[in-house]
Structures are given as C-alpha cells and as structure tokens.
Amino acid sequence: QKEVEQNSGPLSVPEGAIASLNCTYSDRGSQSFFWYRQYSGKSPELIMSIYSNGDKEDGRFTAQLNKASQYVSLLIRDSQPSDSATYLCAVNKSNRGSTLGRLYFGRGTQLTVWP
Amino acid sequence: DTEVTQTPKHLVMGMTNKKSLKCEQHMGHRAMYWYKQKAKKPPELMFVYSYEKLSINESVPSRFSPECPNSSLLNLHLHALQPEDSALYLCASRLGGGRGTEAFFGQGTRLTVV
C-alpha cells in the first residue's frame, strides 16, 4: 500500500466551478498535511498546509482533514484557467524516535480549468 | 522570504563525469531534502539532513553522494551516473521536521545524463 494515494485524474472543470481534489494516507502517525501545485516543468509550490481535523480556508482554497478516515482534500472555488496544474498531496510521517519526518508525495492530480 | 536557490538550473553530463548540484537557503531552516522527480511522477525522497547530519537515506545508489557543509548549504555530488538518472532534482528545506513546518522547494536542476 502506498503512503499517499490520490485520484490521478485528469480532472477537468469549467472556469468558475469548484474543483475537488482528494488524498488518502496510510500511516495514522502522520502529523502534517500539505497541498502543492506544480506547473509543467516547474518545481512544487506550497499552497496549503493543515494539521488539525476540520477545514482551513485561504482565499479560494479550502483544505479539509479527517484523521479518523485518513483523508485530506482540497477545494478550489471559482476555478481559473491559471489553476490548471498538477496538485500534489504531501504527508509528513514521523521518523521513529525523532520528530523529523519523511515528507511523502502522492502521484498528483492533473487539473485543467477550461474557459 | 521563502527562497531556496538551486544551481545549476540545467546540467548535461556524460556517464564518466563528476558534477555537483548545489542548494542554498538563508531562512534558518534546519532540515534539508533532496528529491528526484521523473516526468509525470511525484517527487521521490532521496536524502534528508537534519541539523547538518544525514538522517535519512532512502537506499539511494552510491553514485549519488550528499553533503551538507553548513546549515545553509546542501550539495549532491554525482559520479558515474546512468541515463536513467536523468530527472529533475529538487532541493527543499523546512524549519524542522515536525508538526507545523512547511517545506519549500527550489526551482530544481534539470539533469540529463548522456
């Protein structure tokens, strides 16, 4: 079983719609959860972090965390063509005996927002 | 400032060459990472340095040799690479490894082995 699983898509939504991206993780000891956006040929860019159960909103982005279900999601409201990218879910897993964690990535979901 | 600087941006090397990738950050971050990313794949963890000490080696072949000369610098020494090692090499840094620390990536080095 992979550490982090994402529906790889591709996901295609019209401009102005809500895009919903999902991620599950295998290790209940995971502590921190991140969403990165990666444009083709570029490096990952951090867009959201979440550490506690519930929702966290930042502008058009909302991250949701449910530790009981080991599930993280990202909602993008009022999607724009410039949001077209690959979205990577990342999970911080503690190394045993240390607070330093491995940061594992899902395979990413490719999002296309069409005008 | 959340800048992580990687050099060079592009590198072409032969299988007998020795080269180095460099990564620098001045955010006071104490954890630094090397990732390898192939096309249409997620970043794959290679090494983690914590407080300038190697803490995680994800069974990376010895032709990749990391080095952390000080808390701001991270190098990846390359020797006798294979064409399949061609990839985007990403450096990232975090304040620490625990809860509440976000990782920031450099722009990456696009490596081509010929």
Side-chain angles (χ1 to χ4, degrees):
Chain A
Q1 183 183 12
K2 292 185 179 177
E3 299 282 351
V4 185
E5 301 260 16
Q6 287 183 255
N7 47 342
S8 58
L11 177 63
S12 182
V13 301
E15 184 174 357
I18 295 175
S20 177
L21 306 163
N22 304 315
C23 172
T24 58
Y25 58 95
S26 61
D27 183 9
R28 285 193 176 274
S30 300
Q31 303 174 328
S32 312
F33 308 87
F34 308 95
W35 284 98
Y36 286 84
R37 176 176 63 199
Q38 187 172 26
Y39 294 111
S40 180
K42 302 295 186 183
S43 64
E45 173 192 9
L46 180 70
I47 53 172
M48 288 289 284
S49 58
I50 187 165
Y51 311 104
S52 304
N53 279 328
D55 295 359
K56 179 181 177 182
E57 187 175 318
D58 184 0
R60 295 186 296 112
F61 299 98
T62 298
Q64 300 173 317
L65 173 61
N66 183 328
K67 289 188 177 179
S69 301
Q70 295 175 238
Y71 176 88
V72 191
S73 66
L74 179 70
L75 298 178
I76 307 175
R77 290 183 301 282
D78 188 24
S79 296
Q80 301 296 309
S82 58
D83 294 327
S84 298
T86 296
Y87 288 80
L88 297 162
C89 174
V91 175
N92 185 82
K93 177 179 175 179
S94 280
N95 199 28
R96 197 175 99 180
S98 168
T99 58
L100 179 66
R102 287 169 164 84
L103 190 61
Y104 286 119
F105 286 84
R107 61 186 300 178
T109 298
Q110 185 179 342
L111 172 66
T112 300
V113 181
W114 44 275
Chain B
D1 181 14
T2 56
E3 188 168 344
V4 178
T5 303
Q6 288 187 246
T7 55
K9 288 187 170 46
H10 301 275
L11 178 63
V12 179
M13 61 185 290
M15 289 188 284
T16 58
N17 291 159
K18 286 185 181 180
K19 296 286 185 182
S20 297
L21 309 184
K22 296 186 185 302
C23 175
E24 188 169 1
Q25 57 85 17
H26 296 287
M27 297 179 279
H29 288 182
R30 305 318 299 263
M32 296 186 77
Y33 296 68
W34 280 116
Y35 282 87
K36 171 183 176 180
Q37 188 176 27
K38 304 279 274 186
K40 299 193 185 301
K41 298 288 187 183
E44 181 183 330
L45 183 62
M46 299 176 72
F47 302 105
V48 182
Y49 272 82
S50 175
Y51 293 85
E52 302 163 46
K53 288 184 168 37
L54 182 65
S55 62
I56 296 174
N57 176 343
E58 294 282 85
S59 302
V60 179
S62 60
R63 57 185 185 270
F64 296 92
S65 176
E67 178 196 21
C68 188
N70 59 57
S71 60
S72 299
L73 293 174
L74 186 66
N75 298 321
L76 186 62
H77 302 298
L78 313 172
H79 173 56
L81 294 194
Q82 303 297 309
E84 58 265 29
D85 295 321
S86 298
L88 179 67
Y89 287 83
L90 295 162
C91 173
S93 72
R94 305 172 76 181
L95 183 62
R99 176 188 173 92
T101 57
E102 299 164 330
F104 297 96
F105 283 85
Q107 292 183 316
T109 295
R110 177 74 59 188
L111 174 67
T112 303
V113 182
V114 297

